[in-house]
Amino acid sequence: MEVVYFAGGCLWGVQAFIKTLPGIEFTEAGRANGTSQTLEGDYDGYAECVKTGFNPSVVTIQELMGYLFEIIDPYSLNKQGQDVGEKYRTGVYSENPEHLLEAKTFLGERNDYDLIVVEVLSLTNYVRSAEEHQDRLAKCPNDYCHIPEELLNKYK
């Protein structure tokens, strides 16, 4: 199993969607690349993300990027749906340089590459979100989500 971190706006919908994909072994809601080791205090630059454990013999980083692009607006800086702010930026983070290379290759092969604002960065910090945010849409299906329901359930 390998681990990668995906940011696609509000993490509730991103987690719900990723859980349905082939090769996914676990997900966890969290915060990527902030400066704090805690959930307390002022905003510290993090991106809401989903820690994603996957089986690389079933699904590749490039395939996962394709799935991510189904649920995000890759041209929107710090905004997905009604969620606005730096913490809602889109990105791919990993401690594995090969993952980052594959993600950059995916982006570089697109003819709209120069318009895309999706970050691809090394993971420098990760903090697990509070329990209330873990699998939030499964617990509270009527909460707001920027991803249309038919897309959330596309791979179920």
Side-chain angles (χ1 to χ4, degrees), residues 66-82:
Y67 290 125
L68 178 67
F69 270 54
E70 290 186 48
I71 60 169
I72 66 167
D73 176 352
Y75 317 122
S76 182
L77 183 63
N78 300 331
K79 180 182 186 304
Q80 293 293 309
Q82 296 176 17

Side-chain angles (χ1 to χ4, degrees), residues 117-147:
V117 295
V118 177
E119 292 183 326
V120 178
L121 298 171
S122 292
L123 182 76
T124 57
N125 185 28
Y126 174 76
V127 178
R128 183 183 190 276
S129 289
E131 191 58 39
E132 68 188 79
H133 296 292
Q134 304 299 326
D135 299 309
R136 177 69 182 211
L137 288 184
K139 299 174 197 169
C140 304
N142 294 324
D143 278 0
Y144 168 75
C145 179
H146 68 282
I147 304 167

